């Protein structure tokens, strides 16, 4: 895709009045009144990780994407609840910049992606992306400068080097489920709904789902999700392996931050190398993968952090990792 206009034509807007893409009663749920997932949470310092003792607060973002630091975790919140967090140009620019900021800041050890207003993301907003007098015109030059920006924002053409944890409440459908597949760990409230509705509109889930989904969940479940376009409640999504945790509604972000704190307490060089190894060996034969794993893993043993981890264990104290 060379232009955002061509990209727009492949998606649809999921609106309140059409019952979230024509699905039935499982999708009749109002957004939470003001459960803004961008609200700062109490930090959860785990394992004595010094990186989780920093300040908590908003850093930067766009009108549809809130960015916060919670200790060593960067929290990106899709913040357009009046449109069920449908993806807009300001949101995509904010996501792109959030992933870039996390990659470039060594003090950030993990990322949490969530949504405001009790919804994760209801898909792509064609009108906002195409301009049409809606918010985002000031970002058009960003797309001209980088025609691949939207794919990077949706984690189709970019993989952050830090672990990404999805905290899902409410609808996570169409483009929302596609972005979800670019995350590493996934938590959902018990009333969350997932699904790839594109075929029901005669469209194609071009955000990566026909490639990724069958690599992440069993083949039969992947094809059923792709070919029926039906909604999947959180319990079923967990059963087939699309998500890892189902928690009470309103607590997905809290659980995601707990997981992030556990990650933040680990050696950051080791964490990033492990993530990179898992992804880069996914398409290799076992022999090729084991060889690549050695290339990734052996250098970690020579780091000062590796020595600090062993020393801290022997001295019965929390390690202090310095990315060296």
């Amino acid at each position: 895709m060379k232009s955002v206009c061509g990209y727009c034509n492949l998606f649809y807007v999921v609106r309140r009045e059409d019952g979230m893409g024509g699905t039935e009663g499982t999708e009749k749920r109002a957004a939470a009144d003001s459960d803004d997932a961008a609200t700062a949470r109490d930090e959860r310092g785990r394992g004595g990780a010094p990186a989780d003792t920093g300040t908590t607060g908003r850093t930067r973002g766009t009108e549809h994407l809130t960015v916060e630091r919670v200790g060593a975790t960067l929290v990106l919140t899709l913040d357009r609840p009046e449109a069920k967090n449908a993806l807009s140009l300001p949101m995509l620019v904010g996501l792109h910049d959030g992933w870039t900021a996390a990659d470039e800041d060594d003090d950030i050890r993990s990322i949490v992606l969530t949504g405001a207003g009790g919804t994760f993301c209801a898909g792509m907003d064609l009108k906002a992306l195409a301009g049409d007098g809606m918010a985002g015109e000031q970002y058009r030059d960003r797309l001209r400068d980088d025609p691949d920006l939207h794919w990077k924002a949706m984690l189709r053409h970019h993989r952050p080097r830090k672990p990404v944890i999805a905290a899902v409440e409410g609808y996570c459908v169409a483009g929302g489920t596609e972005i979800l597949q670019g995350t590493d760990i996934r938590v959902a409230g018990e009333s969350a709904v997932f699904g790839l509705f594109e075929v029901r509109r005669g469209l194609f889930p071009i955000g990566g789902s026909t490639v990724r989904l069958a690599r992440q969940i069993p083949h039969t479940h992947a094809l059923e999700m792709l070919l029926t376009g039906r909604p999947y409640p959180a319990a079923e999504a967990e059963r087939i392996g699309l998500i890892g945790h189902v928690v009470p509604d309103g607590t997905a972000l809290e659980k995601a931050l707990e997981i992030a704190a556990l990650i933040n307490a680990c050696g950051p060089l080791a964490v990033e190398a492990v993530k990179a190894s898992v992804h880069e060996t996914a398409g290799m034969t076992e022999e090729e993968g084991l060889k690549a794993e050695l290339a990734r893993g052996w250098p970690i043993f020579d780091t000062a952090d590796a020595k600090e981890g062993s020393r801290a264990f022997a001295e019965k104290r929390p390690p202090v990792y310095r990315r060296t």
Side-chain angles (χ1 to χ4, degrees):
M1 295 291 167
K2 295 298 185 183
S3 71
V4 71
C5 293
Y7 172 58
C8 290
N9 290 333
L10 297 171
F11 287 88
Y12 61 95
V13 183
V14 182
R15 298 199 179 277
R16 293 178 195 271
E17 61 266 24
D18 80 351
M20 292 300 293
T23 54
E24 281 73 57
T26 57
E27 298 181 10
K28 295 178 180 177
R29 190 182 313 112
D33 186 27
S34 185
D35 182 24
D36 188 345
T39 301
R41 301 282 182 148
D42 291 335
E43 291 188 46
R44 289 170 160 71
R46 301 284 178 171
D52 272 351
T53 62
T55 58
T56 297
R58 179 166 179 163
T59 56
R60 58 177 177 169
T62 66
E63 57 267 44
H64 293 162
L65 194 284
T66 301
V67 182
E68 268 189 301
R69 280 290 297 274
V70 181
T73 300
L74 192 71
V75 180
L76 305 180
T77 303
L78 309 177
D79 194 3
R80 197 181 174 217
E82 73 281 0
K84 296 190 183 296
N85 296 328
L87 293 165
S88 66
L89 182 50
M91 192 180 291
L92 290 170
V93 168
L95 282 170
H96 173 276
D97 292 349
W99 307 133
T100 301
D103 283 344
E104 294 177 350
D105 187 344
D106 284 345
D107 289 334
I108 294 173
R109 297 191 180 182
S110 60
I111 309 165
V112 169
L113 177 64
T114 192
T119 297
F120 186 74
C121 176
M124 190 64 62
D125 190 330
L126 292 175
K127 290 185 178 180
L129 276 176
D132 292 347
M134 298 177 71
E137 185 61 28
Q138 67 271 34
Y139 299 107
R140 302 297 291 182
D141 61 330
R142 295 288 303 277
L143 287 174
R144 286 190 291 269
D145 293 341
D146 182 2
D148 207 34
L149 181 145
H150 50 290
W151 291 135
K152 295 173 183 175
M154 294 181 68
L155 299 179
R156 189 185 196 274
H157 293 175
H158 177 68
R159 178 176 294 120
R161 63 187 178 97
K162 316 294 175 63
V164 181
I165 306 166
V168 178
E169 301 282 357
Y171 300 116
C172 176
V173 298
T177 293
E178 297 214 278
I179 291 177
L180 187 78
Q181 293 166 63
T183 66
D184 302 305
I185 299 171
R186 303 155 194 172
V187 179
E190 57 193 358
S191 295
V193 176
F194 303 83
L196 294 163
F197 298 164
E198 284 80 357
V199 292
R200 298 183 61 172
R201 297 289 182 254
L203 300 173
F204 189 102
I206 204 166
S209 294
T210 65
V211 176
R212 288 177 169 168
L213 193 60
R215 301 182 183 191
Q216 297 184 9
I217 66 176
H219 178 88
T220 182
H221 293 304
L223 268 293
E224 182 175 343
M225 180 176 284
L226 286 162
L227 297 177
T228 66
R230 71 174 178 86
Y232 282 69
E236 185 176 8
E238 182 187 34
R239 180 177 60 79
I240 66 176
L242 184 66
I243 59 175
H245 299 269
V246 176
V247 297
D249 288 339
T251 67
L253 178 57
E254 181 179 1
K255 179 64 175 179
L257 289 172
E258 289 179 1
I259 296 171
L262 293 173
I263 292 171
N264 297 346
C266 300
L269 295 176
V271 165
E272 292 168 25
V274 166
K275 173 175 174 173
S277 180
V278 168
H279 286 291
E280 73 186 9
T281 61
M284 297 180 182
T285 65
E286 182 173 331
E287 182 179 3
E288 293 168 338
L290 291 174
K291 185 181 298 184
E293 182 189 59
L294 284 179
R296 278 281 182 185
W298 272 126
I300 298 300
F301 287 87
D302 291 330
T303 64
D305 278 359
K307 296 177 177 62
E308 164 63 9
S310 299
R311 187 182 306 113
F313 177 78
E315 296 173 0
K316 295 182 172 57
R317 61 170 175 81
V320 178
Y321 295 119
R322 305 187 185 280
R323 298 188 61 89
T324 57

